[in-house]
Amino acid sequence: MIPHPDVFFLPAPGGEQRLCLFHAPRGTPRGRVLYLHPFAEEMNKSRRMAALACRALAEAGHAVLQLDLRGCGDSSADFGDASWADWQADVRLGLAELEARAPGDAPLWLWGLRAGCLLAAADWGRPVNHLFWQPMASGKLALQQFLRLKLAAEMAGGAGKGLMEAMKAELAAGRHVEVAGYRVGAGLAAGLEGARLAPSGTPGRVEWLEVSTREDATLTPASEQAAQAWQDAGWSLRSRIVAGPSFWASAEIELAPALIAATVEALS
């Protein structure tokens, strides 16, 4: 049996803290994995799936670190105070902590879910592999989808005309907007909007996993194009679609066991 994860607060700049969970394998790690959670409420919907996958990976011999980004979960600051640059700094902080807790030459993996994949896709100054769960190819589209949550709510009440343009104007002016209970700042919105799932850094491996309830599901054209760009840049990429629900967006907490099994297999 793998023991319960080590839960701790990692010191961050400005006297802040980041909540972390470290899942240690028995023996020498065969891989080192940093999990980057999705955006806003999708993070909460995905917590159970992430916890089960972390445990499964640890049982398979991987050292896994979960980190709540600035303004998220139980980490310091308010969501509205966080910026994309803050979250990039948190990735560097998490990688350094993972390397300190699991030293050696086992491969480093950045495991992103949805918008977490956009955050992972950067040059981190060291060779890393990527595990993508249901990746979003465009940060601009991700931001639009998020803003539409408020648009849908307002339209249900008979309003909403011109709301999307008004929210974008507020963000462009450096002000906050509130969507589905989340106060979003201009620095976070601009960073997300400019993010793309594009290859960067030293080429390594990419394991691209998606879920679908359709037996004949294939990658969308946008995903196919993004995946091809990684391959063209020299990355070894494998994609696979397994059976499962959209657990990050479901009304109730749902699980996708086939995705966890495919993840362990992909990293093994």
PDB file of all heavy atoms in Angstrom, residues 8 10 20 22 29 31-34 63-67 90-110 124-129:
ATOM      1  N   PHE A   8       1.478  19.702   2.715  1.00  0.00           N
ATOM      2  CA  PHE A   8       2.290  20.760   3.309  1.00  0.00           C
ATOM      3  C   PHE A   8       2.088  22.069   2.545  1.00  0.00           C
ATOM      4  O   PHE A   8       1.545  22.089   1.437  1.00  0.00           O
ATOM      5  CB  PHE A   8       3.780  20.376   3.282  1.00  0.00           C
ATOM      6  CG  PHE A   8       4.351  20.199   1.893  1.00  0.00           C
ATOM      7  CD1 PHE A   8       5.061  21.225   1.272  1.00  0.00           C
ATOM      8  CD2 PHE A   8       4.169  19.011   1.191  1.00  0.00           C
ATOM      9  CE1 PHE A   8       5.586  21.069  -0.003  1.00  0.00           C
ATOM     10  CE2 PHE A   8       4.695  18.844  -0.079  1.00  0.00           C
ATOM     11  CZ  PHE A   8       5.403  19.876  -0.679  1.00  0.00           C
ATOM     12  N   LEU A  10       4.047  25.072   0.797  1.00  0.00           N
ATOM     13  CA  LEU A  10       5.336  25.419   0.207  1.00  0.00           C
ATOM     14  C   LEU A  10       5.504  26.936   0.236  1.00  0.00           C
ATOM     15  O   LEU A  10       4.653  27.667  -0.285  1.00  0.00           O
ATOM     16  CB  LEU A  10       5.384  24.912  -1.236  1.00  0.00           C
ATOM     17  CG  LEU A  10       6.659  25.180  -2.045  1.00  0.00           C
ATOM     18  CD1 LEU A  10       7.841  24.465  -1.418  1.00  0.00           C
ATOM     19  CD2 LEU A  10       6.461  24.705  -3.493  1.00  0.00           C
ATOM     20  N   CYS A  20       0.416  21.990  -1.143  1.00  0.00           N
ATOM     21  CA  CYS A  20       0.956  20.902  -1.962  1.00  0.00           C
ATOM     22  C   CYS A  20       0.608  19.554  -1.352  1.00  0.00           C
ATOM     23  O   CYS A  20       0.470  19.420  -0.138  1.00  0.00           O
ATOM     24  CB  CYS A  20       2.481  21.013  -2.071  1.00  0.00           C
ATOM     25  SG  CYS A  20       3.084  22.469  -2.937  1.00  0.00           S
ATOM     26  N   PHE A  22       2.300  15.710  -1.815  1.00  0.00           N
ATOM     27  CA  PHE A  22       3.352  14.921  -2.443  1.00  0.00           C
ATOM     28  C   PHE A  22       3.058  13.443  -2.249  1.00  0.00           C
ATOM     29  O   PHE A  22       2.938  12.953  -1.124  1.00  0.00           O
ATOM     30  CB  PHE A  22       4.717  15.259  -1.862  1.00  0.00           C
ATOM     31  CG  PHE A  22       5.844  14.474  -2.475  1.00  0.00           C
ATOM     32  CD1 PHE A  22       6.197  14.662  -3.806  1.00  0.00           C
ATOM     33  CD2 PHE A  22       6.543  13.534  -1.724  1.00  0.00           C
ATOM     34  CE1 PHE A  22       7.228  13.931  -4.385  1.00  0.00           C
ATOM     35  CE2 PHE A  22       7.581  12.801  -2.289  1.00  0.00           C
ATOM     36  CZ  PHE A  22       7.916  12.996  -3.625  1.00  0.00           C
ATOM     37  N   PRO A  29      12.048   6.523  -7.628  1.00  0.00           N
ATOM     38  CA  PRO A  29      11.000   6.876  -8.594  1.00  0.00           C
ATOM     39  C   PRO A  29      11.402   6.517 -10.022  1.00  0.00           C
ATOM     40  O   PRO A  29      12.545   6.713 -10.434  1.00  0.00           O
ATOM     41  CB  PRO A  29      10.865   8.391  -8.440  1.00  0.00           C
ATOM     42  CG  PRO A  29      11.454   8.711  -7.112  1.00  0.00           C
ATOM     43  CD  PRO A  29      12.535   7.706  -6.907  1.00  0.00           C
ATOM     44  N   GLY A  31       9.594   7.938 -12.403  1.00  0.00           N
ATOM     45  CA  GLY A  31       9.221   9.182 -13.047  1.00  0.00           C
ATOM     46  C   GLY A  31       8.846  10.206 -11.994  1.00  0.00           C
ATOM     47  O   GLY A  31       8.503   9.842 -10.861  1.00  0.00           O
ATOM     48  N   ARG A  32       8.938  11.488 -12.348  1.00  0.00           N
ATOM     49  CA  ARG A  32       8.575  12.576 -11.436  1.00  0.00           C
ATOM     50  C   ARG A  32       7.556  13.454 -12.142  1.00  0.00           C
ATOM     51  O   ARG A  32       7.817  13.968 -13.220  1.00  0.00           O
ATOM     52  CB  ARG A  32       9.830  13.363 -11.045  1.00  0.00           C
ATOM     53  CG  ARG A  32      10.867  12.508 -10.307  1.00  0.00           C
ATOM     54  CD  ARG A  32      12.173  13.240 -10.077  1.00  0.00           C
ATOM     55  NE  ARG A  32      12.891  13.496 -11.328  1.00  0.00           N
ATOM     56  CZ  ARG A  32      13.996  14.249 -11.423  1.00  0.00           C
ATOM     57  NH1 ARG A  32      14.484  14.831 -10.345  1.00  0.00           N
ATOM     58  NH2 ARG A  32      14.596  14.413 -12.580  1.00  0.00           N
ATOM     59  N   VAL A  33       6.389  13.629 -11.497  1.00  0.00           N
ATOM     60  CA  VAL A  33       5.237  14.228 -12.169  1.00  0.00           C
ATOM     61  C   VAL A  33       4.724  15.424 -11.372  1.00  0.00           C
ATOM     62  O   VAL A  33       4.457  15.304 -10.167  1.00  0.00           O
ATOM     63  CB  VAL A  33       4.104  13.201 -12.346  1.00  0.00           C
ATOM     64  CG1 VAL A  33       2.963  13.801 -13.179  1.00  0.00           C
ATOM     65  CG2 VAL A  33       4.618  11.907 -12.981  1.00  0.00           C
ATOM     66  N   LEU A  34       4.553  16.569 -12.043  1.00  0.00           N
ATOM     67  CA  LEU A  34       3.936  17.753 -11.440  1.00  0.00           C
ATOM     68  C   LEU A  34       2.573  17.970 -12.090  1.00  0.00           C
ATOM     69  O   LEU A  34       2.482  18.131 -13.310  1.00  0.00           O
ATOM     70  CB  LEU A  34       4.812  18.993 -11.640  1.00  0.00           C
ATOM     71  CG  LEU A  34       4.228  20.332 -11.150  1.00  0.00           C
ATOM     72  CD1 LEU A  34       3.989  20.310  -9.644  1.00  0.00           C
ATOM     73  CD2 LEU A  34       5.143  21.490 -11.532  1.00  0.00           C
ATOM     74  N   ALA A  63       6.807   9.567  -8.534  1.00  0.00           N
ATOM     75  CA  ALA A  63       6.675  10.605  -7.516  1.00  0.00           C
ATOM     76  C   ALA A  63       5.811  11.720  -8.100  1.00  0.00           C
ATOM     77  O   ALA A  63       6.126  12.249  -9.167  1.00  0.00           O
ATOM     78  CB  ALA A  63       8.045  11.137  -7.123  1.00  0.00           C
ATOM     79  N   VAL A  64       4.730  12.067  -7.399  1.00  0.00           N
ATOM     80  CA  VAL A  64       3.761  13.022  -7.950  1.00  0.00           C
ATOM     81  C   VAL A  64       3.554  14.175  -6.973  1.00  0.00           C
ATOM     82  O   VAL A  64       3.328  13.959  -5.780  1.00  0.00           O
ATOM     83  CB  VAL A  64       2.398  12.349  -8.249  1.00  0.00           C
ATOM     84  CG1 VAL A  64       1.484  13.315  -8.984  1.00  0.00           C
ATOM     85  CG2 VAL A  64       2.586  11.067  -9.049  1.00  0.00           C
ATOM     86  N   LEU A  65       3.609  15.394  -7.499  1.00  0.00           N
ATOM     87  CA  LEU A  65       3.366  16.589  -6.690  1.00  0.00           C
ATOM     88  C   LEU A  65       2.156  17.332  -7.235  1.00  0.00           C
ATOM     89  O   LEU A  65       2.114  17.682  -8.411  1.00  0.00           O
ATOM     90  CB  LEU A  65       4.590  17.511  -6.701  1.00  0.00           C
ATOM     91  CG  LEU A  65       4.464  18.806  -5.891  1.00  0.00           C
ATOM     92  CD1 LEU A  65       4.341  18.500  -4.394  1.00  0.00           C
ATOM     93  CD2 LEU A  65       5.652  19.734  -6.144  1.00  0.00           C
ATOM     94  N   GLN A  66       1.167  17.525  -6.365  1.00  0.00           N
ATOM     95  CA  GLN A  66       0.028  18.391  -6.678  1.00  0.00           C
ATOM     96  C   GLN A  66       0.260  19.743  -6.029  1.00  0.00           C
ATOM     97  O   GLN A  66       0.723  19.817  -4.887  1.00  0.00           O
ATOM     98  CB  GLN A  66      -1.275  17.810  -6.137  1.00  0.00           C
ATOM     99  CG  GLN A  66      -1.740  16.531  -6.784  1.00  0.00           C
ATOM    100  CD  GLN A  66      -2.989  15.996  -6.101  1.00  0.00           C
ATOM    101  OE1 GLN A  66      -2.889  15.134  -5.225  1.00  0.00           O
ATOM    102  NE2 GLN A  66      -4.150  16.485  -6.491  1.00  0.00           N
ATOM    103  N   LEU A  67      -0.094  20.804  -6.728  1.00  0.00           N
ATOM    104  CA  LEU A  67       0.130  22.155  -6.225  1.00  0.00           C
ATOM    105  C   LEU A  67      -1.070  23.023  -6.579  1.00  0.00           C
ATOM    106  O   LEU A  67      -1.473  23.087  -7.736  1.00  0.00           O
ATOM    107  CB  LEU A  67       1.422  22.718  -6.825  1.00  0.00           C
ATOM    108  CG  LEU A  67       1.853  24.138  -6.479  1.00  0.00           C
ATOM    109  CD1 LEU A  67       3.387  24.227  -6.461  1.00  0.00           C
ATOM    110  CD2 LEU A  67       1.320  25.134  -7.510  1.00  0.00           C
ATOM    111  N   ASP A  90       4.739  29.660 -10.176  1.00  0.00           N
ATOM    112  CA  ASP A  90       4.373  28.517  -9.347  1.00  0.00           C
ATOM    113  C   ASP A  90       4.827  27.201  -9.977  1.00  0.00           C
ATOM    114  O   ASP A  90       5.196  26.255  -9.265  1.00  0.00           O
ATOM    115  CB  ASP A  90       2.862  28.486  -9.121  1.00  0.00           C
ATOM    116  CG  ASP A  90       2.401  29.529  -8.113  1.00  0.00           C
ATOM    117  OD1 ASP A  90       3.260  30.112  -7.421  1.00  0.00           O
ATOM    118  OD2 ASP A  90       1.178  29.764  -8.021  1.00  0.00           O
ATOM    119  N   VAL A  91       4.773  27.112 -11.301  1.00  0.00           N
ATOM    120  CA  VAL A  91       5.256  25.904 -11.977  1.00  0.00           C
ATOM    121  C   VAL A  91       6.743  25.724 -11.686  1.00  0.00           C
ATOM    122  O   VAL A  91       7.202  24.607 -11.368  1.00  0.00           O
ATOM    123  CB  VAL A  91       5.005  25.973 -13.495  1.00  0.00           C
ATOM    124  CG1 VAL A  91       5.617  24.760 -14.192  1.00  0.00           C
ATOM    125  CG2 VAL A  91       3.511  26.038 -13.790  1.00  0.00           C
ATOM    126  N   ARG A  92       7.520  26.791 -11.786  1.00  0.00           N
ATOM    127  CA  ARG A  92       8.948  26.708 -11.499  1.00  0.00           C
ATOM    128  C   ARG A  92       9.181  26.301 -10.037  1.00  0.00           C
ATOM    129  O   ARG A  92      10.070  25.497  -9.724  1.00  0.00           O
ATOM    130  CB  ARG A  92       9.628  28.047 -11.794  1.00  0.00           C
ATOM    131  CG  ARG A  92       9.560  28.452 -13.266  1.00  0.00           C
ATOM    132  CD  ARG A  92      10.346  29.726 -13.527  1.00  0.00           C
ATOM    133  NE  ARG A  92      10.206  30.139 -14.910  1.00  0.00           N
ATOM    134  CZ  ARG A  92       9.285  30.986 -15.341  1.00  0.00           C
ATOM    135  NH1 ARG A  92       8.434  31.546 -14.478  1.00  0.00           N
ATOM    136  NH2 ARG A  92       9.208  31.313 -16.616  1.00  0.00           N
ATOM    137  N   LEU A  93       8.361  26.867  -9.149  1.00  0.00           N
ATOM    138  CA  LEU A  93       8.455  26.533  -7.729  1.00  0.00           C
ATOM    139  C   LEU A  93       8.156  25.047  -7.520  1.00  0.00           C
ATOM    140  O   LEU A  93       8.859  24.357  -6.775  1.00  0.00           O
ATOM    141  CB  LEU A  93       7.441  27.395  -6.956  1.00  0.00           C
ATOM    142  CG  LEU A  93       7.614  27.549  -5.447  1.00  0.00           C
ATOM    143  CD1 LEU A  93       8.891  28.309  -5.133  1.00  0.00           C
ATOM    144  CD2 LEU A  93       6.408  28.276  -4.867  1.00  0.00           C
ATOM    145  N   GLY A  94       7.125  24.559  -8.202  1.00  0.00           N
ATOM    146  CA  GLY A  94       6.744  23.158  -8.069  1.00  0.00           C
ATOM    147  C   GLY A  94       7.791  22.213  -8.634  1.00  0.00           C
ATOM    148  O   GLY A  94       8.080  21.164  -8.038  1.00  0.00           O
ATOM    149  N   LEU A  95       8.369  22.559  -9.757  1.00  0.00           N
ATOM    150  CA  LEU A  95       9.410  21.719 -10.345  1.00  0.00           C
ATOM    151  C   LEU A  95      10.623  21.626  -9.424  1.00  0.00           C
ATOM    152  O   LEU A  95      11.199  20.545  -9.239  1.00  0.00           O
ATOM    153  CB  LEU A  95       9.828  22.269 -11.709  1.00  0.00           C
ATOM    154  CG  LEU A  95       8.884  21.998 -12.886  1.00  0.00           C
ATOM    155  CD1 LEU A  95       9.316  22.797 -14.109  1.00  0.00           C
ATOM    156  CD2 LEU A  95       8.846  20.502 -13.212  1.00  0.00           C
ATOM    157  N   ALA A  96      10.995  22.747  -8.847  1.00  0.00           N
ATOM    158  CA  ALA A  96      12.143  22.753  -7.939  1.00  0.00           C
ATOM    159  C   ALA A  96      11.860  21.892  -6.706  1.00  0.00           C
ATOM    160  O   ALA A  96      12.731  21.139  -6.237  1.00  0.00           O
ATOM    161  CB  ALA A  96      12.483  24.182  -7.521  1.00  0.00           C
ATOM    162  N   GLU A  97      10.647  21.975  -6.173  1.00  0.00           N
ATOM    163  CA  GLU A  97      10.286  21.178  -5.003  1.00  0.00           C
ATOM    164  C   GLU A  97      10.237  19.697  -5.345  1.00  0.00           C
ATOM    165  O   GLU A  97      10.680  18.847  -4.558  1.00  0.00           O
ATOM    166  CB  GLU A  97       8.925  21.637  -4.465  1.00  0.00           C
ATOM    167  CG  GLU A  97       8.449  20.896  -3.220  1.00  0.00           C
ATOM    168  CD  GLU A  97       9.318  21.160  -1.992  1.00  0.00           C
ATOM    169  OE1 GLU A  97      10.099  22.137  -2.009  1.00  0.00           O
ATOM    170  OE2 GLU A  97       9.197  20.397  -1.014  1.00  0.00           O
ATOM    171  N   LEU A  98       9.711  19.379  -6.517  1.00  0.00           N
ATOM    172  CA  LEU A  98       9.650  17.978  -6.951  1.00  0.00           C
ATOM    173  C   LEU A  98      11.050  17.397  -7.104  1.00  0.00           C
ATOM    174  O   LEU A  98      11.319  16.266  -6.680  1.00  0.00           O
ATOM    175  CB  LEU A  98       8.881  17.893  -8.265  1.00  0.00           C
ATOM    176  CG  LEU A  98       8.692  16.501  -8.889  1.00  0.00           C
ATOM    177  CD1 LEU A  98       7.960  15.570  -7.920  1.00  0.00           C
ATOM    178  CD2 LEU A  98       7.923  16.614 -10.199  1.00  0.00           C
ATOM    179  N   GLU A  99      11.962  18.169  -7.685  1.00  0.00           N
ATOM    180  CA  GLU A  99      13.336  17.700  -7.857  1.00  0.00           C
ATOM    181  C   GLU A  99      14.041  17.541  -6.507  1.00  0.00           C
ATOM    182  O   GLU A  99      14.869  16.646  -6.339  1.00  0.00           O
ATOM    183  CB  GLU A  99      14.097  18.660  -8.761  1.00  0.00           C
ATOM    184  CG  GLU A  99      13.640  18.612 -10.219  1.00  0.00           C
ATOM    185  CD  GLU A  99      14.331  19.640 -11.094  1.00  0.00           C
ATOM    186  OE1 GLU A  99      14.362  20.829 -10.697  1.00  0.00           O
ATOM    187  OE2 GLU A  99      14.834  19.256 -12.149  1.00  0.00           O
ATOM    188  N   ALA A 100      13.686  18.398  -5.552  1.00  0.00           N
ATOM    189  CA  ALA A 100      14.303  18.303  -4.225  1.00  0.00           C
ATOM    190  C   ALA A 100      13.795  17.069  -3.468  1.00  0.00           C
ATOM    191  O   ALA A 100      14.551  16.399  -2.763  1.00  0.00           O
ATOM    192  CB  ALA A 100      14.017  19.562  -3.415  1.00  0.00           C
ATOM    193  N   ARG A 101      12.523  16.767  -3.616  1.00  0.00           N
ATOM    194  CA  ARG A 101      11.934  15.635  -2.899  1.00  0.00           C
ATOM    195  C   ARG A 101      12.201  14.307  -3.605  1.00  0.00           C
ATOM    196  O   ARG A 101      12.136  13.253  -2.964  1.00  0.00           O
ATOM    197  CB  ARG A 101      10.437  15.846  -2.730  1.00  0.00           C
ATOM    198  CG  ARG A 101      10.082  16.879  -1.669  1.00  0.00           C
ATOM    199  CD  ARG A 101       8.592  17.096  -1.541  1.00  0.00           C
ATOM    200  NE  ARG A 101       8.304  17.936  -0.394  1.00  0.00           N
ATOM    201  CZ  ARG A 101       7.819  17.498   0.767  1.00  0.00           C
ATOM    202  NH1 ARG A 101       7.544  16.215   0.928  1.00  0.00           N
ATOM    203  NH2 ARG A 101       7.591  18.325   1.764  1.00  0.00           N
ATOM    204  N   ALA A 102      12.430  14.345  -4.903  1.00  0.00           N
ATOM    205  CA  ALA A 102      12.709  13.124  -5.657  1.00  0.00           C
ATOM    206  C   ALA A 102      13.939  13.354  -6.531  1.00  0.00           C
ATOM    207  O   ALA A 102      13.834  13.471  -7.756  1.00  0.00           O
ATOM    208  CB  ALA A 102      11.498  12.735  -6.504  1.00  0.00           C
ATOM    209  N   PRO A 103      15.121  13.460  -5.929  1.00  0.00           N
ATOM    210  CA  PRO A 103      16.335  13.710  -6.713  1.00  0.00           C
ATOM    211  C   PRO A 103      16.680  12.502  -7.576  1.00  0.00           C
ATOM    212  O   PRO A 103      16.210  11.393  -7.347  1.00  0.00           O
ATOM    213  CB  PRO A 103      17.401  13.952  -5.639  1.00  0.00           C
ATOM    214  CG  PRO A 103      16.901  13.219  -4.432  1.00  0.00           C
ATOM    215  CD  PRO A 103      15.406  13.322  -4.484  1.00  0.00           C
ATOM    216  N   GLY A 104      17.500  12.767  -8.571  1.00  0.00           N
ATOM    217  CA  GLY A 104      17.912  11.692  -9.465  1.00  0.00           C
ATOM    218  C   GLY A 104      17.662  12.059 -10.910  1.00  0.00           C
ATOM    219  O   GLY A 104      17.400  13.220 -11.240  1.00  0.00           O
ATOM    220  N   ASP A 105      17.727  11.070 -11.774  1.00  0.00           N
ATOM    221  CA  ASP A 105      17.598  11.336 -13.195  1.00  0.00           C
ATOM    222  C   ASP A 105      16.320  10.748 -13.793  1.00  0.00           C
ATOM    223  O   ASP A 105      16.217  10.583 -15.003  1.00  0.00           O
ATOM    224  CB  ASP A 105      18.813  10.797 -13.950  1.00  0.00           C
ATOM    225  CG  ASP A 105      19.038   9.306 -13.704  1.00  0.00           C
ATOM    226  OD1 ASP A 105      18.236   8.691 -12.969  1.00  0.00           O
ATOM    227  OD2 ASP A 105      20.019   8.766 -14.241  1.00  0.00           O
ATOM    228  N   ALA A 106      15.334  10.423 -12.951  1.00  0.00           N
ATOM    229  CA  ALA A 106      14.052   9.941 -13.470  1.00  0.00           C
ATOM    230  C   ALA A 106      13.400  11.045 -14.297  1.00  0.00           C
ATOM    231  O   ALA A 106      13.533  12.236 -13.978  1.00  0.00           O
ATOM    232  CB  ALA A 106      13.131   9.529 -12.325  1.00  0.00           C
ATOM    233  N   PRO A 107      12.702  10.698 -15.370  1.00  0.00           N
ATOM    234  CA  PRO A 107      12.103  11.716 -16.241  1.00  0.00           C
ATOM    235  C   PRO A 107      11.154  12.647 -15.491  1.00  0.00           C
ATOM    236  O   PRO A 107      10.432  12.221 -14.588  1.00  0.00           O
ATOM    237  CB  PRO A 107      11.337  10.881 -17.277  1.00  0.00           C
ATOM    238  CG  PRO A 107      11.972   9.539 -17.245  1.00  0.00           C
ATOM    239  CD  PRO A 107      12.443   9.327 -15.844  1.00  0.00           C
ATOM    240  N   LEU A 108      11.177  13.911 -15.867  1.00  0.00           N
ATOM    241  CA  LEU A 108      10.241  14.902 -15.341  1.00  0.00           C
ATOM    242  C   LEU A 108       9.038  14.991 -16.273  1.00  0.00           C
ATOM    243  O   LEU A 108       9.185  15.083 -17.495  1.00  0.00           O
ATOM    244  CB  LEU A 108      10.910  16.268 -15.231  1.00  0.00           C
ATOM    245  CG  LEU A 108      11.774  16.564 -14.006  1.00  0.00           C
ATOM    246  CD1 LEU A 108      12.510  17.890 -14.205  1.00  0.00           C
ATOM    247  CD2 LEU A 108      10.927  16.618 -12.735  1.00  0.00           C
ATOM    248  N   TRP A 109       7.850  15.008 -15.676  1.00  0.00           N
ATOM    249  CA  TRP A 109       6.609  15.135 -16.443  1.00  0.00           C
ATOM    250  C   TRP A 109       5.800  16.310 -15.927  1.00  0.00           C
ATOM    251  O   TRP A 109       5.663  16.493 -14.714  1.00  0.00           O
ATOM    252  CB  TRP A 109       5.761  13.869 -16.302  1.00  0.00           C
ATOM    253  CG  TRP A 109       6.295  12.663 -17.006  1.00  0.00           C
ATOM    254  CD1 TRP A 109       7.238  11.779 -16.548  1.00  0.00           C
ATOM    255  CD2 TRP A 109       5.915  12.206 -18.301  1.00  0.00           C
ATOM    256  NE1 TRP A 109       7.466  10.807 -17.480  1.00  0.00           N
ATOM    257  CE2 TRP A 109       6.666  11.034 -18.560  1.00  0.00           C
ATOM    258  CE3 TRP A 109       5.015  12.662 -19.270  1.00  0.00           C
ATOM    259  CZ2 TRP A 109       6.544  10.317 -19.747  1.00  0.00           C
ATOM    260  CZ3 TRP A 109       4.891  11.945 -20.450  1.00  0.00           C
ATOM    261  CH2 TRP A 109       5.643  10.795 -20.685  1.00  0.00           C
ATOM    262  N   LEU A 110       5.270  17.107 -16.843  1.00  0.00           N
ATOM    263  CA  LEU A 110       4.272  18.108 -16.510  1.00  0.00           C
ATOM    264  C   LEU A 110       2.926  17.564 -16.979  1.00  0.00           C
ATOM    265  O   LEU A 110       2.718  17.344 -18.172  1.00  0.00           O
ATOM    266  CB  LEU A 110       4.575  19.444 -17.197  1.00  0.00           C
ATOM    267  CG  LEU A 110       5.698  20.274 -16.576  1.00  0.00           C
ATOM    268  CD1 LEU A 110       5.939  21.527 -17.398  1.00  0.00           C
ATOM    269  CD2 LEU A 110       5.363  20.645 -15.140  1.00  0.00           C
ATOM    270  N   TRP A 124      10.886  25.412 -19.695  1.00  0.00           N
ATOM    271  CA  TRP A 124      11.135  25.518 -18.265  1.00  0.00           C
ATOM    272  C   TRP A 124      12.612  25.406 -17.906  1.00  0.00           C
ATOM    273  O   TRP A 124      12.965  25.243 -16.734  1.00  0.00           O
ATOM    274  CB  TRP A 124      10.317  24.457 -17.526  1.00  0.00           C
ATOM    275  CG  TRP A 124       8.848  24.617 -17.789  1.00  0.00           C
ATOM    276  CD1 TRP A 124       8.063  23.835 -18.571  1.00  0.00           C
ATOM    277  CD2 TRP A 124       8.006  25.680 -17.311  1.00  0.00           C
ATOM    278  NE1 TRP A 124       6.782  24.325 -18.610  1.00  0.00           N
ATOM    279  CE2 TRP A 124       6.722  25.460 -17.855  1.00  0.00           C
ATOM    280  CE3 TRP A 124       8.213  26.775 -16.483  1.00  0.00           C
ATOM    281  CZ2 TRP A 124       5.650  26.302 -17.583  1.00  0.00           C
ATOM    282  CZ3 TRP A 124       7.137  27.622 -16.222  1.00  0.00           C
ATOM    283  CH2 TRP A 124       5.878  27.382 -16.764  1.00  0.00           C
ATOM    284  N   GLY A 125      13.477  25.480 -18.924  1.00  0.00           N
ATOM    285  CA  GLY A 125      14.907  25.490 -18.660  1.00  0.00           C
ATOM    286  C   GLY A 125      15.481  24.136 -18.309  1.00  0.00           C
ATOM    287  O   GLY A 125      16.635  24.045 -17.851  1.00  0.00           O
ATOM    288  N   ARG A 126      14.713  23.086 -18.501  1.00  0.00           N
ATOM    289  CA  ARG A 126      15.143  21.714 -18.246  1.00  0.00           C
ATOM    290  C   ARG A 126      14.299  20.797 -19.116  1.00  0.00           C
ATOM    291  O   ARG A 126      13.184  21.144 -19.484  1.00  0.00           O
ATOM    292  CB  ARG A 126      14.976  21.353 -16.756  1.00  0.00           C
ATOM    293  CG  ARG A 126      13.561  21.704 -16.291  1.00  0.00           C
ATOM    294  CD  ARG A 126      13.221  21.155 -14.937  1.00  0.00           C
ATOM    295  NE  ARG A 126      13.895  21.759 -13.816  1.00  0.00           N
ATOM    296  CZ  ARG A 126      13.608  22.965 -13.298  1.00  0.00           C
ATOM    297  NH1 ARG A 126      12.696  23.725 -13.871  1.00  0.00           N
ATOM    298  NH2 ARG A 126      14.216  23.408 -12.225  1.00  0.00           N
ATOM    299  N   PRO A 127      14.792  19.629 -19.468  1.00  0.00           N
ATOM    300  CA  PRO A 127      13.983  18.709 -20.276  1.00  0.00           C
ATOM    301  C   PRO A 127      12.772  18.209 -19.484  1.00  0.00           C
ATOM    302  O   PRO A 127      12.910  17.751 -18.346  1.00  0.00           O
ATOM    303  CB  PRO A 127      14.937  17.551 -20.579  1.00  0.00           C
ATOM    304  CG  PRO A 127      16.314  18.099 -20.347  1.00  0.00           C
ATOM    305  CD  PRO A 127      16.165  19.108 -19.254  1.00  0.00           C
ATOM    306  N   VAL A 128      11.603  18.323 -20.062  1.00  0.00           N
ATOM    307  CA  VAL A 128      10.379  17.807 -19.447  1.00  0.00           C
ATOM    308  C   VAL A 128       9.555  17.084 -20.505  1.00  0.00           C
ATOM    309  O   VAL A 128       9.604  17.424 -21.697  1.00  0.00           O
ATOM    310  CB  VAL A 128       9.522  18.915 -18.794  1.00  0.00           C
ATOM    311  CG1 VAL A 128      10.262  19.586 -17.653  1.00  0.00           C
ATOM    312  CG2 VAL A 128       9.070  19.945 -19.815  1.00  0.00           C
ATOM    313  N   ASN A 129       8.806  16.083 -20.068  1.00  0.00           N
ATOM    314  CA  ASN A 129       7.806  15.442 -20.900  1.00  0.00           C
ATOM    315  C   ASN A 129       6.440  15.996 -20.524  1.00  0.00           C
ATOM    316  O   ASN A 129       6.282  16.627 -19.471  1.00  0.00           O
ATOM    317  CB  ASN A 129       7.831  13.924 -20.689  1.00  0.00           C
ATOM    318  CG  ASN A 129       9.174  13.315 -21.049  1.00  0.00           C
ATOM    319  OD1 ASN A 129       9.750  13.629 -22.087  1.00  0.00           O
ATOM    320  ND2 ASN A 129       9.687  12.449 -20.181  1.00  0.00           N
TER     321      ASN A 129
END
